[in-house]
Amino acid sequence: METQKIEKPAPMIETVLSIESPPARAGFLRALGAIIWKDLAAELRSRELLSAMLVFALLVILIFNFALELDAQTRYNVAAGVLWVTFAFAGTLGLNRSMAMEKDRGCLDGLLLAPVDRSAIYFGKMFGNLIFMLLVEVIVLPVYSLLYNVNLFQPGLIVVTLLGSMGYVAVGTLLASMAVQTRTRDILLPILLFPVMIPLFIAAVKASGGFLQGIPMDEIWPWLNLLLVYDVVFIAVAFMVFDYIVEE
Amino acid sequence: MASKPVALKILDIITILLLLVATGLVFFFAPLERVMGLVQKVFYFHVAAGWVGMLGFLVAAMVGGIYLARGERKWDIVGLASVEIGMAFAFINVVTGSIWARPIWNTWWTWDPRLTTATIMLLIYAAYLMLRSGIEDPDRRARFGAVYAIVGFISVPLTFFSARLFRTIHPVVIGTNQPGAEGAFDMTADMRLVFFFSLFTFSVIFVDLLWHRIRLGQLQDQVEQLKLKFNV
């Protein structure tokens, strides 16, 4: 309740800001950029989030190698599934860390006090998480191709990875900001996230598998459409409800 | 807290009578299905329980939206109540389905879209209850619960659709069947009567239980306030 009162800046500050601040849209983009930049700069100095995600992702792939006996035959059939499970696990690690960092050091309160639109905070965190996720994927995909001699450099697969990661961080950022504010935060995020994420996983795995196995495009389209619908629906929903998550 | 209202008492009695009549109709009035025999009778309560489960989750998502818009405590109580009732009936739906599937599909379980969706739905609302139990502040608990009820409910049709892109063997009794559905049958007029009567009965049970659960939620609120008052 305290922050609720402070959240609107005092009129004087507001006038000072409005004299200097450009039109609303440019202000929104600037706030968005500032939040993304803050996350990247913090990561550049500590490197704790990316390195953890990356090492974890490689370990998961290693474990799958022994758990599934990835011989030359099965490799092509299960590659999509192995990759998406890896991304999902590494992703929760990153999402949890990225929001816990804000919460622990009181940065979230600082962000909420800033005279910017709440949606700028959501989209800023979301794009920050998306960048980390994509960085991990950019490293994991070549390593996977190298280790298992599977060609993963296909434009279709890259589109699927992009769409899938987008939907994943859209819901993930929303639910992670909920999870960090609970008592059981470390274990809660995957439990909240995975059941809601199932349609995205099914579509992403089927579409990636389709591209890897060279299935005709008209059988892959329904899955790509599903990915698109998921992304649009959940970005819109998260945008609408995020205000209620960070409200104090 | 006022004592039990008369309308609720009457509703209780009506609910019990309706359930008795529905059970009687299922066992003694509905004709025996020629191929599947007695086990087909599970169908009447199976579909009705699934309907109440969906209804509960729909109500939870709707009152979640109302709560976020208005911020009144009572909507949160309704939301939690309907999720709990919805989960119980969704579980009945899955169990009765398994009982039917064992002789008809020759397996307790298969990864069919409806079965998959039903299970994931149960997991979503289990996560909902875990989320709520991890938050002490009642206001925040209500807000987070409302948000998750909405997000979860929106994902259900997407889950169903994505699972349906796989081939299904679940029979569609109302509407057209997918090719390959096993255990399908056409309802006779008597069967249809019993079926819709069961649906109606279960809807009344839902309303009755919801009413009871809301009263319980209000009592819980009072207890919590009294505790705060005397423990400080």
Side-chain angles (χ1 to χ4, degrees), chain B residues 9 15 18 38 69 82 87 112 119 131 148 153 164 184 197 200 204 207 213 216-217 219 221 226:
Chain B
K9 278 181 194 162
T15 310
L18 276 175
L38 264 179
S82 47
M87 268 191 85
D112 162 88
T119 322
L131 171 69
Y148 197 68
F153 191 74
R164 185 148 213 184
F197 191 80
F200 173 71
V204 175
V207 174
R213 185 62 187 83
L216 188 65
L219 279 175
D221 257 23
L226 284 175

Side-chain angles (χ1 to χ4, degrees), chain B residues 38-102:
Chain B
L38 264 179
V39 76
Q40 181 269 337
K41 290 191 182 292
V42 103
F43 157 81
Y44 303 105
F45 283 7
H46 166 71
V47 178
W51 150 251
V52 171
M54 280 307 288
L55 188 67
F57 300 143
L58 173 71
V59 170
M62 276 173 12
V63 297
I66 298 174
Y67 177 81
L68 289 183
R70 299 212 185 139
E72 294 162 348
R73 279 284 306 144
K74 60 178 177 188
W75 296 112
D76 180 51
I77 296 174
V78 180
L80 176 63
S82 47
V83 164
E84 282 183 2
I85 299 168
M87 268 191 85
F89 279 90
F91 189 69
I92 294 173
N93 175 249
V94 170
V95 171
T96 49
S98 272
I99 293 171
W100 176 83
R102 180 74 187 116

Side-chain angles (χ1 to χ4, degrees), chain A residues 102-119:
Chain A
E102 301 283 359
K103 188 73 189 160
D104 286 348
R105 300 172 198 164
C107 302
L108 194 61
D109 296 331
L111 270 181
L112 295 179
L113 284 174
V116 296
D117 200 45
R118 289 279 164 84
S119 56

Side-chain angles (χ1 to χ4, degrees), chain A residues 91-163:
Chain A
T92 44
L93 217 62
L95 286 170
N96 236 337
R97 185 81 204 119
S98 131
M99 290 316 289
M101 219 161 58
E102 301 283 359
K103 188 73 189 160
D104 286 348
R105 300 172 198 164
C107 302
L108 194 61
D109 296 331
L111 270 181
L112 295 179
L113 284 174
V116 296
D117 200 45
R118 289 279 164 84
S119 56
I121 300 175
Y122 168 72
F123 283 115
K125 289 304 287 182
M126 187 198 120
F127 281 118
N129 288 328
L130 183 62
I131 291 170
F132 293 140
M133 187 100 184
L134 291 177
L135 280 174
V136 170
E137 287 162 352
V138 160
I139 300 170
V140 166
L141 284 175
V143 169
Y144 190 90
S145 331
L146 204 88
L147 285 179
Y148 296 105
N149 200 18
V150 175
N151 181 20
L152 295 177
F153 293 97
Q154 299 179 23
L157 191 68
I158 291 167
V159 171
V160 174
T161 311
L162 207 64
L163 285 176

